């Protein structure tokens, strides 16, 4: 079947499987030759590796979008502070706990609290919240995704019981970072945060958008080297999707095929990484999340936010929101996963430390 295939691609993928590293120029070569055959071979290897550690399990994370207030002005993001058309909301502690109460009996064993950088959520408030979630649901993991904070803040939240932290680095290239963010934000601080989180002991997630404005294949090759070096426990990638009320409204969306290929390559670089088939991937294609799983992803993050606020957490246009209640949304996801031979499981889904 691979008879006509480019030898250099075949060799690079085989070598990546065996050693989990490649020179940057080989990553670049792979990315420049992203055709159907290369993608299919990478995905086949990625599934084999993924199944060695995680079988057919798909871990679910209940995503609770706690606030869309944000002090930042990231040029790509729909909830940036300059977007005056964004209706702002924040959930109370009681509302967040209610989301967990709904999610637990459905089988969620990880709750992800995500939001803009909202000053209301002080360390004190978050500590109380994290402690309460851990008290009510001791067997569940709490993941935070609340942006850049001080090391001291990350330490306090870890001490309060938070297990994981998601903070996409967005791009590994400083000059590219500066094109995506206003001058008051810095690549150094983003990386400082990631290093602090890892040192403190969080299971740490980094990640980037695929096809963000001004991104080149050379940038993507650097992303892969970054993941090799940082070895995050989690890695979130999804296509850039333009939002109508941002400076990037006229840019094209990231490529579906590139995203799938990168998922496979990331799985081969880091066999045990927790790798979500993201909502953004499901937004650009109706069966995007299934395709993501088939490319080597092993996590899906269904939305557990209250129905009446979901449409306000619009970081990009047309973000999937079926209008279904959490239970119906999950039932639909389970069917989708079963159809492709995978199984949603009721587990915390920590990173695997040994073979099955
Ligand atoms: N404030 C938090 C959470 C941000 S939202 C933080 O800083 O980590 C989570 C991720 O959504 C971002 O890290 C970004 O990579 C992604 N995102 C934002 N806008 C997007 C867009 N227009 N298209 C695709 N992904 C986007």
């Amino acid at each position: 079947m691979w008879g006509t295939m480019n030898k250099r691609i075949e060799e690079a993928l085989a070598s990546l499987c065996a050693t989990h590293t490649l020179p940057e120029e080989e990553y670049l070569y792979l990315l420049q030759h992203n055709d159907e055959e290369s993608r299919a071979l990478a995905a086949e290897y990625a599934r084999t590796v993924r199944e060695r550690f995680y079988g057919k399990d798909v871990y679910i994370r209940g995503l609770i979008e706690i606030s869309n207030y944000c002090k930042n002005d990231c040029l790509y993001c729909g909830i940036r502070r300059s977007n005056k058309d964004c209706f702002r909301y924040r959930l109370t502690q009681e509302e967040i706990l209610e989301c967990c109460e709904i999610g637990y009996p459905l089988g969620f064993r990880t709750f992800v609290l995500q939001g803009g950088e909202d000053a209301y959520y002080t360390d004190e408030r978050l500590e109380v919240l994290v402690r309460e979630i851990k008290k009510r649901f001791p067997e569940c993991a709490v993941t935070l995704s609340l942006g850049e904070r001080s090391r001291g803040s990350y330490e306090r939240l870890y001490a309060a019981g938070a297990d994981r932290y998601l903070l996409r680095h967005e791009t590994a290239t400083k000059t590219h970072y500066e094109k995506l963010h206003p001058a008051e934000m810095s690549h150094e601080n983003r990386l400082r945060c990631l290093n602090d989180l890892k040192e403190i002991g969080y299971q740490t997630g980094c990640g980037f958008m695929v096809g963000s404005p001004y991104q080149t294949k050379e940038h993507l090759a650097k992303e892969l080297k970054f993941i090799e070096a940082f070895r995050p426990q989690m890695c979130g990638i999804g296509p850039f999707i333009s939002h109508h009320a941002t400076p990037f409204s006229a840019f094209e969306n990231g490529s579906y095929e590139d995203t799938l290929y990168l998922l496979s390559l990331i799985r081969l670089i880091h066999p045990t990484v927790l790798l979500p088939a993201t909502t953004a991937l499901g937004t650009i294609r109706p069966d995007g999340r299934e395709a993501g799983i088939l490319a080597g992803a092993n996590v899906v993050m269904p939305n557990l936010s209250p129905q009446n606020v979901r449409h306000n957490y619009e970081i990009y246009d047309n973000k999937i929101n079926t209008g279904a209640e959490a239970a119906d949304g999950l039932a639909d996801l389970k069917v989708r996963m079963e159809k492709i031979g995978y199984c949603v499981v009721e587990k915390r889904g920590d990173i695997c430390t040994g073979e099955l």
Side-chain angles (χ1 to χ4, degrees):
M1 181 179 182
W2 311 112
T4 57
M5 207 162 138
N6 175 326
K7 263 263 163 310
R8 185 164 164 195
I9 299 266
E10 254 176 63
E11 281 171 16
L13 289 175
S15 164
L16 187 56
C17 278
T19 63
H20 315 301
T21 172
L22 282 178
E24 197 169 310
E25 59 273 20
E26 288 311 289
Y27 285 133
L28 183 58
Y29 187 83
L30 287 174
L31 294 164
Q32 285 165 338
H33 296 80
N34 174 5
D35 52 35
E36 219 173 303
E37 269 197 314
S38 312
R39 271 199 307 283
L41 184 59
E44 188 182 310
Y45 284 153
R47 282 196 297 274
T48 306
V49 167
R50 171 263 201 250
E51 283 171 26
R52 186 157 91 230
F53 294 101
Y54 296 104
K56 297 282 193 181
D57 286 4
V58 173
Y59 297 144
I60 49 169
R61 318 300 195 194
L63 183 64
I64 307 171
E65 295 153 337
I66 69 168
S67 169
N68 70 354
Y69 283 89
C70 192
K71 73 170 169 64
N72 287 331
D73 218 15
C74 307
L75 278 75
Y76 45 84
C77 184
I79 65 168
R80 66 201 301 267
R81 68 160 188 264
S82 299
N83 182 6
K84 301 290 180 259
D85 292 337
C86 175
F87 177 83
R88 306 285 166 171
Y89 75 91
R90 73 169 61 90
L91 302 181
T92 62
Q93 163 156 318
E94 275 321 304
E95 288 171 317
I96 295 166
L97 289 164
E98 179 61 22
C99 295
C100 302
E101 297 284 357
I102 291 170
Y104 185 84
L106 294 175
F108 287 96
R109 294 297 176 267
T110 294
F111 299 113
V112 182
L113 311 186
Q114 186 174 83
E117 293 193 19
D118 178 358
Y120 173 85
Y121 276 107
T122 57
D123 295 344
E124 290 74 14
R125 288 194 171 105
L126 288 170
E127 277 174 334
V128 172
L129 177 59
V130 170
R131 286 220 165 83
E132 185 60 27
I133 298 176
K134 296 294 285 196
K135 188 172 134 206
R136 291 198 200 177
F137 310 101
E139 69 274 45
C140 293
V142 171
T143 304
L144 301 177
S145 180
L146 301 169
E148 297 173 25
R149 304 178 74 92
S150 67
R151 180 174 180 117
S153 169
Y154 291 146
E155 281 168 349
R156 286 177 63 171
L157 300 175
Y158 187 74
D163 302 275
R164 311 189 186 123
Y165 204 105
L166 299 175
L167 184 78
R168 293 189 179 177
H169 60 289
E170 312 297 357
T171 166
T173 306
K174 183 176 152 67
T175 50
H176 184 219
Y177 186 92
E178 289 166 356
K179 291 189 166 154
L180 303 179
H181 300 93
E184 79 245 15
M185 292 178 74
S186 88
H187 195 232
E188 286 76 13
N189 196 52
R190 199 86 183 161
L191 299 182
R192 187 275 303 160
C193 290
L194 279 170
N195 286 313
D196 282 349
L197 289 163
K198 206 152 178 250
E199 269 177 33
I200 291 165
Y202 285 95
Q203 294 176 46
T204 303
C206 66
F208 57 91
M209 290 176 286
V210 179
S212 58
Y214 312 107
Q215 184 183 65
T216 62
K217 298 243 186 288
E218 285 76 10
H219 289 136
L220 286 172
K222 287 210 191 316
E223 297 306 339
L224 296 175
K225 290 309 277 185
F226 179 88
I227 288 159
E228 266 188 21
F230 186 65
R231 294 196 75 73
Q233 282 84 11
M234 307 171 281
C235 184
I237 70 159
F240 162 76
I241 302 175
S242 73
H243 185 285
H244 63 277
T246 64
F248 290 163
S249 59
F251 281 89
E252 260 181 53
N253 291 345
S255 140
Y256 175 70
E257 289 78 14
D258 285 355
T259 307
L260 295 178
Y261 196 33
L262 283 157
L263 283 170
S264 299
L265 297 176
I266 292 168
R267 170 64 64 207
L268 297 178
I269 290 169
H270 192 352
T272 58
V273 73
L274 295 164
L275 191 62
T278 54
T279 305
L281 188 58
T283 296
I284 59 165
R285 284 290 169 90
D287 60 349
R289 287 178 301 178
E290 291 93 313
I293 296 293
L294 291 169
N298 66 330
V299 173
V300 184
M301 301 172 69
N303 202 321
L304 264 189
S305 307
Q307 216 34 267
N308 63 321
V309 302
R310 276 193 208 176
H311 63 283
N312 295 316
Y313 199 85
E314 211 198 25
I315 52 181
Y316 45 78
D317 285 343
N318 305 315
K319 181 162 156 261
I320 23 177
N321 178 6
T322 55
E325 290 302 329
D328 298 334
L330 184 63
D332 172 67
L333 181 69
K334 284 183 176 169
V335 170
R336 285 166 179 263
M337 294 298 127
E338 277 160 23
K339 278 193 181 146
I340 57 165
Y342 288 79
C343 185
V344 168
V345 295
E346 209 170 285
K347 293 181 184 167
R348 261 178 63 122
D350 291 297
I351 191 166
C352 173
T353 49
E355 300 207 17
L356 266 188

